[in-house]
Amino acid sequence: MSELRIRSMADYRAAYQRSTTDPEGFWADVAASFHWRSPWAKVLEWDFAKADTKWFIGGRLNITENCLDRHLAERGEMTALLWEPNDPAQSSEHISYRQLHERVCRMANVLKRQGVKKGDRVCLYMPMIPELAISVLACARIGAIHSVVFGGFSANSLVDRINDSQCVLVITSDGIRRGAKSIPAKPVVDEALPSCPSVKTVLVAKCTGEAVSMRSGRDLWLEDELKQVDADCPAEPMDSEDPLFILYTSGSTGKPKGVVHTCGGYMVYAGYSFANVFQCEENDVFWCTADIGWITGHSYIVYGPLLNGVTSVMFEGVPTWPDPTRFWQVIEKHGVTQFYTAPTAIRSLMAAGHDLPSSFAMPSLKLLGSVGEPINEEAWHWYHEQVGKKRCAVVDTWWQTETGGILLSGLGSITPMKPAHAGLPLPGIRTILVDQQGNELHGEAEGYLCIDFPWPSAIRTTWGDHERCRLNYFAQYPGRYFTGDGAKRDADGFFRIIGRVDDVINVSGHRIGTAEVENAIDEHPDIVESAVVGYPHDIKGQGIYAFVICDHVRTDKDALRNEVIATVERIIGKIARPDKIQFVSGLPKTRSGKIMRRILRKVAEGEMNSLGDTSTLLDPAVVEEITSGRV
Ligand code: 7RM
């Protein structure tokens, strides 16, 4: 990909210019630096009115040939995955490109032996162990569609995801190590599967070593199965537009939707964006601390780095265990050159001791990245000064599950840095701001962030429901992709993301739909109704504030509060547990019955003096009760 590598501001300007005047020529040149089994007949066909996007039409490829086989001759012995375990006392594992290729092929043969075929869906519910990355690639090797579900989700969430995409096989582990704790995985799968008739087989990796029950005829130990197969598995040639994976993400309404990415376009954009944002050189060691259960892990732990032949660190643990210097120790231990993490982690480590990083020189570091939520200026400066020692560029990368790759960001140290600004669009990305009516805003402005032209890794559909994809992303502002984010653009064209403008809360960089949390709370038998909003939280970015109407029979409010939390954990998972619960006797509703969330947000934020117009409320008295009972 070297010829497409941006190395100066002039390169960036030229690439951006060409991507607007000749987008098809531009992306065809980018795509040509990958290995295709057969070339595409047409670069692009699109119609945003129908939510249709197709790239590299008729081309055939396999992304794993680009991630693995292609590197064997030149860098077969170089480390592809560098696995760092949860427990620093356990040794790390260097997996070379050759070894990774072999392990992926074996895993792919295990899947084949269980009858998994091209187009079948496979659910991965696993810890951050090498087998997870290997399973992702093994699915891609044979054309099975992976659906990774983050290990923190509950059995109920797993059921919804497995059933929505009708997975035929689940790969899991006995348990998951997370800091000092170990959390169950196989038992959660066991709880889910009676409600998932499509699943025929469960492969279980050993991780924690705890005893789990194995159901005969369904459950198999992965280690035994790997011994039964050989290490030769030819890659399945895939059509550019064949689905590569499904990843579920929360929106403002309903259950999480399965965002679909396809083989050709996703490969091109994951590879291109990785190369230019992180500016890795030969022998660099790139570390993205995300979990592979999120899009960041898909694109920038697995696919992006491997497409570029870089060493990718995969970390099983957490930032604060055994102590809050774990990240800095790992950076020094492995000579990490690019470090990519989330503002919530930065803020929690900052809170654990402002000068803790000062005992670590971290001389290998060249670049720092941020992702997942807006980074506040204080955290940005601490990251730049304490971690980067003022000699590393900081890139604030804005993107979404739906965009597949980074769309707004600095490029290494090439583009100028502005604290708390994601910055400029990557080549090929036409980010625009619009007002409520959809009129484009020019120059310095604040508005709704939309994208006006397709890019190769744009969402193709939501699994099983294309109309939902159209309505969610392409209907609000016809002819445009709407991100759901508000943003500002300054005089230099730099974007600053303000945050979600829909009913999605960003808690520690994780997207949570308020409707999902409300539905979960309402499952509690004593709860009549609830309304959930986000509020500013020092560490998590946003916290979850729930206004709850309970049956008057309950007087033990503390016990009820704990039950409500337990209900949300059971139905969604720990990541969605409310931080604050306020019991109320009514919610502020309009005469047509709509909850006025604007008022609830103000109360949750503690801005009780600026509630705005409350004259359309059915019962203005509830506002008084709500403001006085704020928790
Ligand atoms: C990559 C990821 C997407 C939402 C998105 C934003 C927020 C992500 C940034 C950011 C400000 C950033 N995918 N977001 N990155 N906000 N600055 N650099 O997080 O699908 O899980 O979330 O996250 O609101 O719409 S995601």
Side-chain angles (χ1 to χ4, degrees):
M1 256 166 276
S2 53
E3 68 278 21
L4 294 153
R5 181 68 172 269
I6 293 162
R7 297 193 182 273
S8 65
M9 201 59 192
D11 285 357
Y12 166 72
R13 298 270 177 227
Y16 196 86
Q17 180 63 27
R18 173 146 191 247
S19 76
T20 49
T21 52
D22 176 20
E24 297 193 23
F26 172 78
W27 285 115
D29 281 356
V30 175
S33 61
F34 294 83
H35 170 69
W36 297 77
R37 287 285 191 95
S38 46
W40 54 90
K42 196 172 176 205
V43 177
L44 171 66
E45 261 175 30
W46 65 293
D47 182 354
F48 274 0
K50 295 188 180 136
D52 285 342
T53 309
K54 288 188 179 125
W55 283 93
F56 313 113
I57 299 149
R60 293 180 83 71
L61 74 145
N62 186 292
I63 195 167
T64 70
E65 286 186 328
N66 283 274
C67 289
L68 301 169
D69 306 60
R70 195 173 52 142
H71 302 308
L72 294 183
E74 254 181 67
R75 48 177 83 85
E77 314 323 315
M78 193 182 127
T79 302
L81 272 188
L82 203 177
W83 181 70
E84 175 64 28
N86 177 60
D87 184 347
Q90 197 188 331
S91 35
S92 44
E93 196 179 330
H94 288 70
I95 305 172
S96 70
Y97 273 93
R98 195 172 311 286
Q99 291 165 329
L100 185 60
H101 177 266
E102 185 188 317
R103 290 176 68 174
V104 167
C105 288
R106 272 188 202 282
M107 180 74 85
N109 282 333
V110 168
L111 295 176
K112 272 195 194 164
R113 215 166 150 258
Q114 293 307 318
V116 177
K117 293 185 181 60
K118 178 176 182 169
D120 285 347
R121 277 77 60 208
V122 173
C123 174
L124 312 182
Y125 184 73
M126 297 174 79
M128 283 286 285
I129 54 177
E131 286 77 6
L132 171 53
I134 291 166
S135 300
V136 162
L137 294 163
C139 289
R141 187 82 177 169
I142 62 169
I145 301 167
H146 55 78
S147 168
V148 185
V149 177
F150 173 63
F153 280 116
S154 66
N156 175 76
S157 295
L158 193 55
V159 169
D160 286 347
R161 287 159 173 78
I162 290 174
N163 287 345
D164 185 72
S165 52
Q166 294 286 292
C167 295
V168 297
L169 184 144
V170 177
I171 311 180
T172 189
S173 67
D174 41 11
I176 300 176
R177 295 180 284 244
R178 205 161 274 165
K181 285 180 290 199
S182 147
I183 60 174
K186 177 65 163 59
V188 179
V189 173
D190 288 338
E191 194 186 331
L193 288 198
S195 311
C196 304
S198 60
V199 175
K200 303 286 177 268
T201 313
V202 180
L203 296 169
V204 188
K206 285 207 170 103
C207 175
T208 55
E210 69 207 75
V212 292
S213 69
M214 297 291 281
R215 211 178 99 173
S216 82
R218 186 192 75 183
D219 304 346
L220 300 164
W221 287 108
L222 183 59
E223 101 174 317
D224 298 340
E225 295 310 301
L226 286 165
K227 286 180 198 144
Q228 317 280 319
V229 294
D230 64 38
D232 179 37
C233 178
E236 182 73 30
M238 304 295 287
D239 189 278
S240 288
E241 284 298 324
D242 280 336
L244 172 64
F245 66 84
I246 304 170
L247 187 57
Y248 286 84
T249 192
S250 294
S252 40
T253 54
K255 290 189 173 174
K257 30 188 192 295
V259 172
V260 175
H261 285 289
T262 57
C263 296
Y266 176 83
M267 170 180 78
V268 169
Y269 199 80
Y272 180 75
S273 58
F274 178 85
N276 286 307
V277 170
F278 299 109
Q279 296 282 324
C280 289
E281 306 292 342
E282 192 81 36
N283 300 320
D284 274 357
V285 176
F286 176 83
W287 183 16
C288 165
T289 69
D291 191 289
I292 293 176
W294 311 112
I295 190 69
T296 304
H298 282 59
S299 300
Y300 301 113
I301 295 176
V302 183
Y303 290 116
L306 299 180
L307 286 166
N308 283 278
V310 160
T311 297
S312 180
V313 176
M314 179 175 178
F315 177 48
E316 186 190 22
V318 297
T320 46
W321 188 81
D323 68 64
T325 64
R326 182 77 165 113
F327 276 177
W328 326 134
Q329 296 194 27
V330 175
I331 289 172
E332 291 203 332
K333 176 174 175 193
H334 296 305
V336 170
T337 46
Q338 288 86 2
F339 177 68
Y340 190 32
T341 196
T344 189
I346 298 168
R347 287 189 298 261
S348 73
L349 296 177
M350 194 166 106
H354 258 253
D355 55 2
L356 283 178
S358 62
S359 336
F360 302 86
M362 298 181 271
S364 55
L365 271 183
K366 297 192 277 193
L367 183 88
L368 300 172
S370 172
V371 62
E373 45 176 324
I375 180 165
N376 50 308
E377 289 187 36
E378 195 192 353
W380 192 99
H381 285 291
W382 184 81
Y383 198 30
H384 182 242
E385 286 152 30
Q386 299 297 319
V387 182
K389 323 287 181 196
K390 297 190 189 163
R391 56 176 174 74
C392 300
V394 175
V395 292
D396 179 5
T397 68
W398 173 87
W399 58 299
Q400 309 178 296
T401 306
E402 295 86 344
T403 71
I406 296 165
L407 300 193
L408 288 172
S409 174
L411 306 178
S413 54
I414 293 164
T415 47
M417 293 189 283
K418 277 192 199 178
H421 285 71
L424 299 170
L426 264 70
I429 307 304
R430 290 191 215 165
T431 31
I432 66 157
L433 296 175
V434 300
D435 66 14
Q436 195 115 48
Q437 286 70 42
N439 305 306
E440 183 170 355
L441 305 169
H442 296 276
E444 255 179 281
E446 175 173 342
Y448 300 101
L449 184 65
C450 291
I451 304 162
D452 241 10
F453 193 83
W455 62 103
S457 61
I459 179 173
R460 294 305 196 269
T461 192
T462 45
W463 184 264
D465 191 351
H466 192 65
E467 179 62 4
R468 192 171 178 201
C469 175
R470 191 187 67 79
L471 284 172
N472 249 295
Y473 305 106
F474 298 93
Q476 184 112 353
Y477 302 112
R480 297 181 164 138
Y481 169 85
F482 175 46
T483 63
D485 280 322
K488 276 185 195 170
R489 186 176 45 217
D490 69 12
D492 300 323
F494 279 55
F495 286 89
R496 176 176 193 155
I497 305 296
I498 298 162
R500 302 292 303 195
V501 293
D502 53 7
D503 291 321
V504 172
I505 318 183
N506 193 324
V507 184
S508 303
H510 302 145
R511 272 165 70 167
I512 295 166
T514 54
E516 270 179 88
V517 184
E518 289 163 6
N519 290 337
I521 292 174
D522 298 350
E523 291 278 315
H524 189 287
D526 293 346
I527 302 303
V528 181
E529 198 185 356
S530 62
V532 164
V533 295
Y535 71 96
H537 187 288
D538 284 348
I539 304 288
K540 301 184 191 181
Q542 280 190 297
I544 300 178
Y545 195 120
F547 296 87
V548 174
I549 306 177
C550 86
D551 248 324
H552 61 280
V553 292
R554 291 287 299 256
T555 49
D556 51 337
K557 289 290 165 16
D558 286 339
L560 182 56
R561 188 171 282 118
N562 291 335
E563 287 169 30
V564 167
I565 291 173
T567 306
V568 174
E569 289 186 358
R570 176 171 59 80
I571 294 188
I572 307 177
K574 275 203 163 49
I575 61 168
R577 62 181 278 158
D579 298 275
K580 293 185 178 183
I581 296 176
Q582 179 181 348
F583 294 106
V584 294
S585 61
L587 293 166
K589 289 189 180 175
T590 62
R591 287 189 187 85
S592 59
K594 275 189 117 175
I595 296 173
M596 287 182 82
R597 288 171 183 283
R598 175 175 59 78
I599 292 176
L600 296 178
R601 270 187 223 114
K602 288 282 181 198
V603 174
E605 284 165 16
E607 302 205 352
M608 259 92 77
N609 299 324
S610 54
L611 293 182
D613 182 13
T614 56
S615 63
T616 57
L617 282 178
L618 185 63
D619 176 12
V622 300
V623 174
E624 193 124 333
E625 184 210 318
I626 287 177
T627 48
S628 61
R630 182 174 177 267
V631 290

